[in-house]
Each structure stands twice: as structure tokens, then as C-alpha cells.
Amino acid sequence: MAAGKLVYNQNCLVCHQADGGGVPHLNPPLSQTDYVLGEKARLIGVVLNGLDAHEPINDEVYSNVMPAHNFLTDQQIADVLTFVRNSFENKASAVSVAEVKAERAKKK
Ligand code: HEC
């Protein structure tokens, strides 16, 4: 969790904010969203590949583009997603290095 928080502060906080609340209309919150609490493969994919869908997230659309974060190591992504899934009022299972590795291997 401590390692994940460090990755978060250095790579995600600028857009998703310290409290995971995001910025209205620009960057979505990371609290209680289907992405964060849902299927881990999809969540890992968002971090590896970024997101440029602008589809509603908890009934709001966000206009910024999430950049790909494939420069982070499997360990860093596992740590940051475990942190996010257990912060900002979320409670969900940890993400493992093996799960990130498997998703990265799928990348076209
Ligand atoms: C430059 C700003 C920016 C940075 C940096 C950024 N994001 Fe995002 N993120 C976004 C935007 C904008 C979207 C929504 C894109 C869309 O709707 O198409 C998004 C979407 C998401 C989503 C899916 C939607 C949701 O709210 O659940 C997750 C999960 C996520 N980001 C996690 C992260 C994590 C973890 C990091 C750090 C490793 C990170 N983001 C870094 C801007 C950013």
C-alpha cells in the first residue's frame, strides 16, 4: 500500500487528485467506479494502454485523455492498483504482479 501510494502520487495524482475525486468534466474519480471495482484485466488495461473513450463514468463524461502508463513496471502497476482499489472508499482484492504481466503480454 505504501509503495502504491508513492506511485499514485508521482503518476496519477495530478489528474485524479489526492482524494481520488478527479476534476469535474475533465478527469474521472477513482472512487466507486466500475473500472476500479470491476474486472481486473480491464482496469490493468486502462493503466497500460490509457483511455480515450469519453464514455460516461458514473453518469458523467470526461474530456481529458488518460495517457498510457506502460513505462511503469509490473510491480508498480500492481502496487498502484492495489492502493487505488483499497483507497477512496473502495474495498476490493489486490492486483498481483502476475495479473499485470499477463495483461501486458496480451498487448498488441
Ligand atoms: C493526464 C491525466 C491523467 C493521468 C496522469 C492519469 N489519468 Fe487516469 N484517467 C484520466 C482521464 C481523462 C480518464 C477518462 C478518459 C475517458 O473518459 O476516455 C481516466 C480514466 C481512468 C480510469 C478509468 C475510469 C475511472 O474513473 O474509474 C482509471 C481506473 C484510471 N484513470 C486510473 C489511473 C491511474 C491508476 C493513474 C496513474 C498510474 C492514472 N489514471 C493517471 C486522466 C489521467
Side-chain angles (χ1 to χ4, degrees):
M1 282 295 279
K5 185 170 186 176
L6 196 70
V7 178
Y8 184 86
N9 288 348
Q10 289 174 347
N11 297 281
C12 322
L13 182 150
V14 64
C15 291
H16 293 287
Q17 305 297 298
D19 65 355
V23 178
H25 311 295
L26 293 177
N27 305 313
L30 299 180
S31 176
Q32 303 287 317
T33 72
D34 287 348
Y35 280 100
V36 170
L37 299 175
E39 202 200 331
K40 287 192 225 175
R42 181 171 73 154
L43 176 60
I44 294 164
V46 168
V47 174
L48 282 175
N49 307 321
L51 192 66
D52 193 2
H54 313 291
E55 279 163 7
I57 297 165
N58 292 4
D59 297 327
E60 216 197 297
V61 172
Y62 298 88
S63 57
N64 269 357
V65 172
M66 159 119 182
H69 283 71
N70 51 8
F71 54 87
L72 296 172
T73 65
D74 293 347
Q75 181 75 60
Q76 286 175 311
I77 292 175
D79 288 347
V80 77
L81 290 180
T82 297
F83 168 75
V84 166
R85 278 164 64 90
N86 290 281
S87 304
F88 321 137
E89 297 175 3
N90 300 321
K91 191 91 199 90
S93 60
V95 172
S96 72
V97 172
E99 286 167 326
V100 178
K101 202 185 289 286
E103 252 345 275
R104 200 190 291 266
K106 280 188 210 160
K107 231 202 130 201
K108 338 95 243 206

